[in-house]
């Protein structure tokens, strides 16, 4: 769970590029079309450092959509599903791991902000 | 309660207007992220894992009911219906959209609260005892001195860009509830033999990556010199503090590297030049600030009213009373701590509805005033003792009367990996699980005073070094692990904890804490010996032997 700012770009396994949406901080993923999506399923998944760097460079071209882009590990599930690759990314995708105050349901089941 | 003047309000409105403009320019792309980031940080806006976070200062922990109600409004309208009270007398909102931030700030600014001095390399909001003005122990109201420092530090041009952030805490009672020994500067107000008021000055305390307990550099500083002396400290720091390495830039590193004595000499030399200059406080200035703190119109009431005696027949009330109510300086009044640690809930969080309840109760029973303490609990400092039974009934109905203050489930925890972009490991769910294991109030009362502090990384926002039991999240091969320390404390005998042994995994933590507590129950010399005293007497070894043998 090394914070992304500490990571050197070593790619061994599938990765995607993620960031926070500028307007509200929501977690977004870089798509193959060069846009951003809140759904991990839409993420462009690559497996080599040059491809990851290319995705990052694309992400950095404009900073009015998303900020703080970095490369995050993902896991490829059966029939192409994309899953977050570590606990940090799981929490970013699914929300906090306990029920938010005043609600009986974990944040992950609340409507997106 | 402190009365803000028109200048403060006008300034805040201007500051919000500036921020609104900055946000608009950021959203349109006229400002880049690199340009915008320092601007948002100056207003207390962070970007966390899933959203922006707004940090609002609660200067010296004092809030009016109107201010708290406005925080409830912000939580409800712009956030997800709750806020988080922190160890630095701040409140944080975790889910505010950038687009909504200027309006949220404007709403808060109308009642005089803001995020200035909650981030960045400035003098941060000065913190103090949440019982200020109410406890019989104090030599003076420390908030007066906190306010004098606030006014001096807020707009001091030299101090907006310090080598690093700078935190000051003040206590005016022998019992230190403000953790002054783990701040960059700690000020301990007391009287000398001639009855004069003055500060003991501590410097170089702090937690984080390199923790230190502050060193005393002056046993007695007459109060009128407090600004010139702080100025001298800041000048020495500004001159010699390291800017080349952010990990070494805090004043604690400087004090450690050159030694407290050399540091004190440098400060004294600098101070000799300025002590009788413009910063020397006159009686008029002090009286003017003092006059802005309005105290309740206390009535002459019975110290032990019939209402209280009757209510004490109810064991639930009696338990809460013994745990959460403390002596007030005025007979017939009490200080009430409101636990924000219901069993199994995230420590320090309050829902908007709960904030409204507390604000209403403050109006009904506590002269409209609420306090926030560094243990992430709230406090009603001025409650008529005869009103306690009714107050308790209403707090209880809002799940705000858990009688666990200072017990093992009264845990300080930072946001950890559930919210924080810097985290190694989660802190909140660890706290939740521990508090569930000790949900039985008889059991936790039998254990007595025991502070568990949890941080999700080395930055130590959860004060783990000074927890009687400290828990620090670390990362090992992509997994959450936790280091446990014993024997830390943040009070007037402040001390850093000692490592117990190898780090354990997330699932092992609650069991390990139970084993530590069992070891204490076995090792203590009598039920009167507190956990911290047993650790102090025996060291960590006997705990280590017992605890790791079972894991
Ligand atoms: C999630 C957003 C947060 C971020 C990004 C953050 C970041 C940091 C960092 C980087 C430090 C280390 C500074 C240093 O030692 O130089 C720090 C220290 C600290 N933080 Fe936080 N923090 C956050 C939330 C909190 C919360 C919620 C609290 C209160 C519960 C808190 C209380 C503190 C305290 C008391 C320290 C001081 C430790 C010391 O004395 O050095 N922080 N924080
Ligand atoms: S201690 Fe670390 S994980 Fe916890 S809030 Fe501070 S920076 Fe985040």
């Amino acid at each position: 769970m090394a914070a992304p700012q500490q990571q050197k770009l070593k790619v061994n396994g599938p990765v995607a590029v993620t960031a926070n949406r500028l307007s509200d901080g929501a977690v977004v993923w870089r798509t193959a079309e060069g846009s951003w999506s809140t759904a991990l399923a839409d993420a462009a998944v690559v497996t080599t450092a040059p491809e990851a760097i290319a995705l990052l460079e694309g992400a950095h071209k404009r900073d009015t959509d998303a900020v703080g882009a970095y490369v995050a590990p993902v896991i490829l599930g059966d029939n192409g599903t994309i899953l977050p690759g570590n606990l940090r990314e799981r929490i970013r995708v699914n929300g906090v791991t306990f029920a938010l105050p005043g609600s009986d349901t974990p944040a992950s089941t609340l409507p997106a902000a | 309660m402190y009365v803000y003047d028109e200048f403060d309000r006008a300034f805040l409105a201007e500051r919000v207007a500036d921020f609104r403009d900055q946000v608009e320019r950021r959203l349109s792309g006229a400002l880049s992220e690199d340009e915008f980031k320092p601007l948002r940080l100056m207003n207390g806006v962070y970007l966390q894992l899933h959203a922006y976070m707004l940090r609002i200062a609660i200067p010296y922990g004092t809030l009016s009911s109107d201010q708290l109600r406005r925080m409830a409004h912000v939580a409800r309208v712009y956030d997800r219906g709750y806020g988080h009270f922190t160890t630095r007398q701040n409140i944080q909102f975790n889910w505010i959209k950038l687009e909504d931030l200027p309006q949220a700030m404007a709403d808060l600014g109308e009642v005089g609260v803001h995020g200035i001095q909650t981030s960045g390399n400035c003098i941060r909001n000065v913190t103090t005892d949440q019982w200020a003005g109410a406890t019989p122990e104090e030599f003076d109201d420390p908030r007066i001195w906190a306010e004098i420092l606030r006014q001096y530090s807020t707009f001091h041009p030299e101090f907006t860009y310090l080598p690093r952030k700078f935190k000051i805490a003040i206590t005016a009672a022998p019992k230190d509830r403000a953790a002054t020994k783990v701040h960059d500067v700690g000020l301990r107000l007391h009287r000398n033999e001639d009855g004069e008021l003055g500060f003991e000055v501590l410097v170089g305390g702090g937690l984080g990556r390199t923790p230190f307990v502050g060193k005393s550099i002056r046993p007695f500083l007459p109060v009128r010199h407090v600004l010139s002396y702080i100025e001298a400290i800041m000048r020495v720091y500004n001159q010699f503090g390291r800017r080349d390495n952010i990990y070494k830039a805090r004043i604690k590193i400087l004090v450690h590297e050159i030694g407290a004595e050399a540091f004190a000499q440098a400060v004294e030399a600098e101070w000799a030049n300025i002590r009788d200059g413009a910063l020397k406080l006159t009686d008029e200035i002090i009286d003017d600030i003092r006059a802005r703190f309005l105290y309740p119109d206390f009535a002459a009431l019975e110290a032990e009213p019939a209402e209280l005696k009757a209510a004490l027949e109810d064991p639930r009330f009696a338990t809460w009373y013994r745990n959460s109510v403390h002596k007030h300086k005025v007979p017939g009044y009490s200080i009430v701590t409101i636990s924000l640690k219901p069993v199994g809930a995230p420590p320090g969080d309050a829902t908007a509805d709960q904030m409204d309840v507390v604000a209403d109760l403050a109006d009904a029973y506590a002269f409209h005033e609420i306090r926030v303490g560094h243990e992430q609990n709230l406090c009603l400092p001025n409650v008529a003792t005869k009103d306690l039974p009714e107050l308790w009934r209403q707090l209880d109905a809002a799940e705000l009367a858990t009688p666990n203050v200072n017990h093992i489930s009264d845990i300080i925890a930072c946001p950890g990996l559930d919210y924080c972009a810097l985290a190694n490991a989660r802190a909140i769910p660890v706290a939740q699980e521990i508090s569930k294991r000790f949900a039985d109030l008889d059991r936790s009362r039998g254990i007595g005073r025991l502070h568990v502090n949890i941080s999700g990384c080395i930055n130590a926002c959860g004060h783990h070094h000074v927890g009687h039991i400290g828990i620090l999240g670390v990362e090992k091969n992509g997994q959450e692990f936790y280091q446990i320390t014993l024997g830390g404390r943040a009070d007037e005998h402040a001390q850093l904890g000692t490592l117990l042994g190898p780090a354990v995994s997330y699932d092992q933590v609650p069991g390990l804490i139970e084993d530590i507590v069992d070891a204490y129950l076995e090792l203590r010399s009598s039920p009167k010996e507190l956990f911290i005293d047993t650790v102090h007497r025996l060291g960590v070894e006997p705990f280590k032997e017992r605890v790791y043998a079972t894991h």
Side-chain angles (χ1 to χ4, degrees):
Chain A
M1 274 149 285
Q5 47 278 43
Q6 295 155 6
Q7 76 187 4
K8 293 207 187 73
L9 198 57
K10 271 187 278 168
V11 173
N12 31 27
V15 296
V17 165
T18 183
N20 290 91
R21 190 157 64 195
L22 176 67
S23 60
D24 62 0
V27 173
V28 288
W29 300 88
R30 191 77 180 162
T31 68
E33 293 74 43
S35 62
W36 293 99
S37 169
T38 50
L40 176 55
D42 297 336
V45 176
V46 297
T47 52
T48 67
E51 291 171 297
I53 287 168
L55 272 180
L56 258 188
E57 281 173 357
H60 285 143
K61 277 209 185 96
R62 259 170 77 98
D63 76 350
T64 44
D65 304 322
V67 294
Y70 64 93
V71 176
V74 295
I75 296 169
L76 290 179
D78 298 339
N79 44 35
T81 51
I82 309 172
L83 301 167
N86 61 25
L87 179 60
R88 184 180 202 272
E89 296 310 323
R90 267 205 320 276
I91 291 172
R92 287 179 78 244
V93 169
N94 298 321
V96 304
T97 59
F98 47 85
L100 290 185
S103 86
D104 297 327
T105 40
S108 48
T109 60
L110 291 173
Chain B
M1 189 63 48
Y2 178 74
V3 185
Y4 283 88
D5 58 23
E6 275 314 304
F7 172 78
D8 290 317
R9 282 186 205 290
F11 169 77
L12 278 187
E14 225 171 87
R15 193 67 185 244
V16 170
D18 286 349
F19 188 65
R20 196 184 291 278
D21 176 59
Q22 289 156 1
V23 168
E24 271 162 25
R25 286 191 291 145
R26 176 68 191 98
L27 289 169
S28 73
L31 280 178
S32 73
E33 185 62 13
D34 287 346
E35 290 164 327
F36 179 66
K37 190 171 166 187
L39 300 173
R40 74 165 155 76
L41 285 174
M42 266 186 234
N43 288 286
V45 177
Y46 288 74
L47 183 55
Q48 295 185 273
L49 284 187
H50 336 251
Y52 290 94
M53 179 267 274
L54 174 62
R55 184 181 285 166
I56 295 293
I58 299 170
Y60 21 88
T62 298
L63 271 178
S64 70
S65 49
D66 285 344
Q67 289 172 330
L68 184 57
R69 230 173 251 119
R70 193 59 67 96
M71 288 173 177
H73 155 87
V74 166
R76 202 172 272 128
V77 174
Y78 306 107
D79 204 277
R80 295 194 181 174
Y82 70 98
H84 174 72
F85 291 94
T86 84
T87 55
R88 292 218 75 259
Q89 299 182 318
N90 294 317
I91 183 170
Q92 297 187 170
F93 299 101
N94 288 301
W95 304 98
I96 303 196
K97 297 178 182 174
L98 185 59
E99 327 168 296
D100 289 340
L101 272 161
Q103 195 50 46
M105 283 181 189
D107 293 358
L108 290 164
E110 283 174 10
V111 293
V113 290
H114 54 78
I116 299 165
Q117 287 185 306
T118 63
S119 74
N121 295 334
C122 61
I123 298 187
R124 298 290 184 88
N125 58 312
V126 178
T127 53
T128 187
D129 188 349
Q130 67 272 25
W131 293 359
T135 172
E137 297 162 20
E138 73 188 9
F139 296 101
D140 191 14
D141 188 333
R143 293 171 301 164
I144 290 156
W145 305 99
E147 174 58 20
I148 286 172
L149 281 166
R150 183 189 76 90
Q151 294 193 3
Y152 151 80
S153 65
T154 307
F155 309 114
H156 197 307
E158 262 181 69
F159 300 160
T160 316
Y161 295 99
L162 293 168
R164 283 290 269 128
K165 60 180 166 185
F166 201 90
K167 298 179 180 174
I168 303 177
I170 304 185
T171 172
K175 271 244 156 282
D176 184 355
R177 279 171 290 269
T180 58
K181 289 195 170 176
V182 289
H183 281 74
D184 296 287
V185 166
L187 296 171
R188 298 168 53 83
L189 195 68
H190 59 106
R191 282 187 198 279
N192 67 7
E193 284 151 12
D194 301 328
E196 279 178 288
L197 271 182
F199 294 101
E200 181 189 2
V201 182
L202 300 144
V203 295
L207 302 174
R209 185 176 300 267
T210 342
F212 287 108
V213 172
K215 317 259 181 333
S216 180
I217 58 164
R218 193 171 233 280
F220 189 83
L221 175 75
V223 285
R224 81 189 76 89
H225 292 305
V226 66
L227 293 187
S228 58
Y229 205 79
I230 296 282
E231 172 100 7
I233 292 174
M234 300 310 293
R235 285 190 186 175
V236 171
Y237 172 48
N238 239 341
Q239 191 177 347
F240 299 109
R242 293 177 56 164
R243 290 172 191 260
D244 58 325
N245 177 338
I246 66 157
Y247 298 124
K248 300 208 163 164
R250 296 288 292 266
I251 195 171
K252 60 190 175 187
I253 307 289
L254 176 63
V255 172
H256 178 70
E257 283 183 351
I258 71 172
E261 218 162 291
F263 185 85
Q265 278 167 13
V267 171
E268 293 284 331
E270 185 69 40
W271 184 53
N273 300 324
I274 56 173
R275 56 174 286 173
D276 293 314
L279 287 173
K280 186 168 168 183
L281 293 167
T282 60
D283 289 346
E284 290 76 59
I285 294 176
I286 297 171
D287 291 344
D288 178 54
I289 301 278
R290 198 178 283 285
R292 290 219 229 162
F293 283 88
L294 305 182
Y295 293 91
D297 225 344
F298 293 114
L301 296 176
E302 251 184 272
E304 287 185 39
E307 292 90 336
L308 176 68
K309 285 184 207 144
L312 285 170
E313 303 287 319
D314 175 349
R316 286 189 68 236
F317 173 81
T319 300
W320 174 80
Y321 175 79
R322 284 192 202 100
N323 175 261
S324 305
V325 178
H326 289 88
K327 195 172 157 62
H328 197 282
K329 59 166 75 156
V330 179
Y333 287 85
S334 296
I335 301 172
V336 173
T337 300
I338 300 175
S339 169
L340 292 183
K341 319 286 175 69
V343 170
D349 283 0
T351 64
D353 291 347
Q354 286 178 322
M355 290 186 228
D356 279 339
V357 167
V358 173
D360 291 348
L361 290 174
D363 284 341
Y365 302 113
F367 302 97
H368 321 287
E369 186 167 345
I370 302 105
R371 302 288 177 78
V372 185
H374 89 271
E375 301 86 355
Q376 305 177 309
N377 289 320
L378 299 179
C379 168
L380 298 176
N382 307 303
V383 179
T385 305
K386 69 177 169 53
D387 292 335
L388 289 173
E390 190 48 39
L391 174 72
W392 170 72
R393 269 186 281 281
Q394 298 189 35
L395 286 173
D396 193 35
E399 291 180 61
L400 289 166
T402 312
N404 64 345
V405 175
N406 287 320
H407 286 182
I408 187 165
S409 53
D410 185 3
I411 298 172
I412 294 178
C414 80
L417 190 59
D418 284 290
Y419 292 104
C420 176
L422 305 174
N424 287 319
R426 285 172 291 167
I428 293 168
V430 175
Q432 291 176 303
E433 185 54 33
I434 294 170
S435 92
K436 282 186 206 154
R437 302 266 178 124
F438 293 93
D440 183 310
L441 287 169
D442 288 332
R443 182 177 180 206
S444 81
R445 210 172 27 248
I447 297 163
R449 192 181 183 95
L450 208 176
H451 295 163
V452 177
N453 294 0
I454 313 176
S455 304
C457 83
I458 196 68
N459 285 320
C461 305
H463 289 200
H464 65 275
H465 301 103
V466 289
H468 299 168
I469 299 178
I471 304 178
L472 164 65
V474 295
E475 187 233 328
K476 273 194 189 174
N477 303 323
Q479 302 292 323
E480 296 167 292
F481 272 76
Y482 296 84
Q483 287 178 354
I484 313 289
T485 50
L486 300 186
R489 60 198 297 174
D491 59 5
E492 61 282 4
H493 307 294
Q495 201 172 329
L496 306 172
T498 306
L499 193 63
L500 182 66
V504 297
S505 68
Y506 178 85
D507 294 329
Q508 289 174 310
V509 176
L512 193 85
I513 302 304
E514 287 191 295
D515 291 345
I516 291 169
V517 170
D518 288 342
Y520 155 65
L521 294 175
E522 194 183 312
L523 291 165
R524 67 183 176 185
S525 59
S526 83
K528 284 215 159 75
E529 188 178 61
L530 298 179
F531 177 86
I532 184 71
D533 296 326
T534 305
V535 178
H536 188 66
R537 182 168 57 84
L538 297 173
V540 302
E541 279 308 317
F543 287 89
K544 185 173 178 172
E545 282 162 20
R546 282 168 176 73
V547 166
Y548 283 93
T550 60
H551 279 268

